[in-house]
Amino acid sequence: MTGYTMLRNGGVGNGGQTWMLRWSNRIRLTWLSFTLFIILVFFPLIAHYYLTTLDEADEAGKRIFGPRAGNELCEVKHVLDLCRIRESVSEELLQLEAKRQELNSEIAKLNLKIEACKKSIENAKQDLLQLKNVISQTEHSYKELMAQNQPKLSLPIRLLPEKDDAGLPPPKLLHSCRLHNCFDYSRCPLTSGFPVYVYDSDQLAFGSYLDPLVKQAFQATTRTNVYVTENADIACLYVILVGEMQEPLGLRPAELERQLYSLPHWRTDGHNHLLINLSWKSNTQNFLYNVSTGRAMVAQSTFYAAQYQPGFDIVISPLVHAMSEPNFLEIPPQVPVKRKYLFSFQGEKIESLRSSLQEARSFEEEMEGDPPADYDDRIIATLKAVQDSKLDQVLAEFTCKNQPKPSLPTEWALCGEREDRLELLKLSTFALIITPGDPHLVISSGCATRLFEALEVGAIPVVLGEQVQLPYQDVLRWNEAALVVPKPRVTEVHFLLRSLSDSDLLAMRRQGRFLWETYFSTADSIFNTVLAVVRTRIQIPAAPIREEAAVEIPHRSGKAAGTDPNMADNGDLDLGPVETEPPYASPKYLRNFTLTATDLYRNWNSAPGPFHLFPHTPFDPVLPSEAKFLGSGTGFRPIGGGTGGSGKEFQAALGGNVPREQFTVVMLTYEREEVLMNSLERLNGLPYLNKVVVVWNSPKLPSEDLLWPDIGVPIMVVRTEKNSLNNRFLPWNGIETEAVLSIDDDAHLRHDEIMFGFRVWREARDRIVGFPGRYHAWDIPHQSWLYNSNYSCELSMVLTGAAFFHKYYAYLYSYVMPQAIRDMVDEYINCEDIAMNFLVSHITRKPPIKVTSRWTFRCPGCPQALSHDDSHFHERHKCINFFVKVYGYMPLLYTQFRVDSVLFKTRLPHDKTKCFKFI
């Protein structure tokens, strides 16, 4: 305890001193820390305050740390060095910046030069390629000319006979004239153009005896005929109107013969003369029977075998519509095919030959011996038996209810008035025509009238008697429009008529309507047909059909038009070379001098049908630019042909059977200058474009300060006589290509689409090939046709606001299509595209072809057109129904076929083939 206390006290005594040392050390550390804190914190603050106070002094000399004026700071030696370094570096930086800007400017100039060089190289390559193409085409053309070895020949010198020529030697037999012994070919060279001199009927001695209405109709048609000339010295044919005479006939045959022989150009025998006798009211006049006509040809509706000279005289149709055009609205439609009566016949025989029944001989006995002279009694018995059998509803009347019309002996006289006969024929599928019982009567005016009326209303003629000579029989295929049955087969007629299918009946009815409209309906058609028969017989080509003379509007071309990238961006796909040579026109039709010799029936029987594409009617002669319409081979290896059609060869050449061809754009516009200029600029750089024909449809001329774009091809601005949508399809003489692209001024088509459509049209040159499709539909509640523009998988029309067609159809539309259709287009200012589709389908019996899937083609932002009017579609409904009445049936055909390009825009490697695929 004591020791512990001691230790504890001793520890305290010794440790107290240590504790004090420790406490003093701690105080010193704390003080030191506090002092350092004061120095580190407050001293900078005091120094900052002090320095700030000094800088705010008024005297500049007392400033120690403030900014000094001028270069006072550089008074210090090292500061001066730093300043010199700074100034040197600044000067060098300024120099480097100037050099940098100068180099950038030089680089920009060099880049521009590089781009210009690249462009020059591309242009040089393109020019070189085009020159190579031109050289290649020239070489091929030269080789083709050498291969053909057919240099162009000058026309032969025309031979003109002397005015007082002695004529030809007389024929051995009377009424035995043929062309080889009664026609003077020396007056009708191939290159003469077939001039026809028509005697003035008022100046003829017997002119006062002619029926005034017939004479007036004849004079009216001769004034507008392209072949008629007033120079009798160069005439090939001389035409004289000799009938119909007024009743009663006050001119004796001997007097008429004397007056004919006294004509100034008769030349003793009347060779190269044509006597025309037009039957109008009378069915019995045949006063030329007792007149010696010498070597003159005779054209009339009644012939006896003793006076008819086959291959020389001409059987013509009677003149029913003398001075009036037929009313198409009164003509019944061609459908339905079958009508109320299977066949009908009305007539009365005033005088007959001795019948076989009166001889009390059986039919078998007649066949064993000489054929009977008259089968009319057997025909009557057979037709009555068919009528009584009630198998089919037929109408056969052999006694007229009223007084029958005058007729020739053994001829069945007409009953009733013309209107009553037409009403019966409108109800008849077939119309029986019983030929005269006299075998010496080749044709009578009464039979010809029955044939005319049957064709007019769509009753298929059934002619009993194969010995009859139907009108223009040597140049028309009557078996396509009528049935000619021998009289001994009268018992088989009923079976024969029942065996015909509806499609055959419709085809015959359509062909009959075509023959009636073309060769029988009016005085113009009859006269033109008679001249065409003579011209065809002597193998003279038809006169070229007239083209519409284009009255150009002067205009100024501005700067070169740019190319819309949306229209011409084709990637690596070449649409074809833009040819540097002058525009290439389609070859002219070079078969004019051989056409009549090689294609006789093709010219005359080209009614609407699958094998008859081009109806060369008398008033629709050979076209000057028709060329190879079917695209047939030319007999030599064509330019660009035989390359396989793959890769670049396909892109750089059209190939095909007509490898060198261009097309013409026809653009209709009306006072939309800005829209028109934009559309024209979009055509810049379009391959195979020959020219652009702008049909200016406004009476107001374009602005004088309007600058037209230079698109690399000629632009022809045509002034029209009136504002008419029919002007779109006029055959302007400025159109020198067969291919025509009809396009609206607001149509928006890419170049690749246009080229694709052009290639497709070249594969179907007889069709309309275009982009917007439409179709027609039957409205059951209203029993009428409707126009439909909805999207559909089936179509029957392609709008001509963006479509290719052959120029041939422009002639047909303007000069051959019924005028009533064009009048309705002018009335509504609408439906011209529907009319063109009707025409082409009627001629070809084929539907149009739609290309690509586009349904509209209007440019965005363009002003609204007439088609946006509410009445637009109502008018188109009316147009379709009116056109059906004019044609007599619905010619439009449905199709589900569409042509698309599968690989046209597909990007393939350059070593692969790029082709069109049609689906």
Side-chain angles (χ1 to χ4, degrees), residues 171-177 292-294 306 309:
K172 297 181 180 180
L173 300 175
L174 186 63
H175 298 298
S176 62
C177 271
S292 175
T293 56
Q309 303 170 108

Side-chain angles (χ1 to χ4, degrees), residues 343-538:
F343 64 84
S344 65
F345 176 81
Q346 281 183 328
E348 182 174 342
K349 201 167 187 179
I350 307 302
E351 179 181 353
S352 63
L353 298 177
R354 186 177 53 184
S355 66
S356 58
L357 294 179
Q358 291 175 341
E359 291 287 324
R361 301 170 62 189
S362 66
F363 185 72
E364 292 76 8
E365 292 175 344
E366 292 171 355
M367 293 299 99
E368 292 177 359
D370 295 333
D374 196 355
Y375 282 96
D376 289 352
D377 293 336
R378 182 171 296 277
I379 292 174
I380 294 174
T382 302
L383 297 183
K384 285 184 176 180
V386 174
Q387 188 174 16
D388 296 338
S389 66
K390 306 297 183 180
L391 295 176
D392 288 291
Q393 192 170 1
V394 300
L395 190 148
E397 297 179 351
F398 305 100
T399 303
C400 296
K401 298 178 182 179
N402 300 320
Q403 182 68 24
K405 301 295 181 180
S407 61
L408 296 174
T410 74
E411 180 187 14
W412 287 93
L414 295 171
C415 294
E417 299 298 329
R418 167 178 158 80
E419 291 75 15
D420 298 332
R421 298 194 299 269
L422 292 180
E423 290 301 322
L424 175 61
L425 292 175
K426 291 177 182 179
L427 302 175
S428 306
T429 306
F430 297 93
L432 290 185
I433 301 175
I434 305 176
T435 59
D438 186 358
H440 301 292
L441 186 58
V442 175
I443 183 65
S444 66
S445 180
C447 285
T449 301
R450 291 180 183 272
L451 180 66
F452 180 96
E453 294 175 351
L455 295 176
E456 181 179 4
V457 297
I460 301 174
V462 180
V463 182
L464 291 178
E466 79 284 4
Q467 82 284 356
V468 69
Q469 290 290 328
L470 298 179
Y472 321 117
Q473 187 165 328
D474 55 339
V475 291
L476 293 183
R477 292 179 181 174
W478 277 105
N479 61 325
E480 296 180 356
L483 294 174
V484 181
V485 183
K487 286 185 177 181
R489 294 189 179 276
V490 63
T491 57
E492 302 172 334
V493 168
H494 184 218
F495 169 80
L496 180 62
L497 301 185
R498 288 287 301 272
S499 64
L500 290 175
S501 64
D502 289 352
S503 59
D504 292 336
L505 293 177
L506 183 59
M508 296 182 71
R509 183 173 294 164
R510 187 167 57 245
Q511 178 73 4
R513 172 73 174 271
F514 169 79
L515 296 181
W516 176 78
E517 289 182 1
T518 308
Y519 308 116
F520 301 96
S521 57
T522 63
D524 284 341
S525 60
I526 294 175
F527 182 68
N528 290 329
T529 304
V530 171
L531 295 186
V533 169
V534 178
R535 179 184 51 76
T536 304
R537 285 176 177 176
I538 61 178

Side-chain angles (χ1 to χ4, degrees), residues 548 696-697 699 719-723 727 732:
E548 201 70 23
W696 192 265
N697 220 23
R719 183 176 184 177
T720 58
E721 295 181 356
K722 64 176 182 178
N723 178 20
N727 296 331
W732 302 105

Side-chain angles (χ1 to χ4, degrees), residues 871-891:
S871 62
H872 176 75
F873 288 95
H874 297 289
E875 293 172 350
R876 294 174 84 82
H877 299 328
K878 296 179 182 179
C879 288
I880 286 184
N881 288 280
F882 179 78
F883 296 166
V884 169
K885 290 182 180 180
V886 174
Y887 282 98
Y889 75 112
M890 169 54 76

Side-chain angles (χ1 to χ4, degrees), residues 39-56 65:
I39 293 171
L40 294 175
V41 173
F42 289 96
F43 182 77
L45 294 175
I46 295 171
H48 180 267
Y49 173 77
Y50 177 74
L51 293 175
T52 304
T53 304
L54 292 178
D55 287 340
E56 293 177 356
F65 299 98

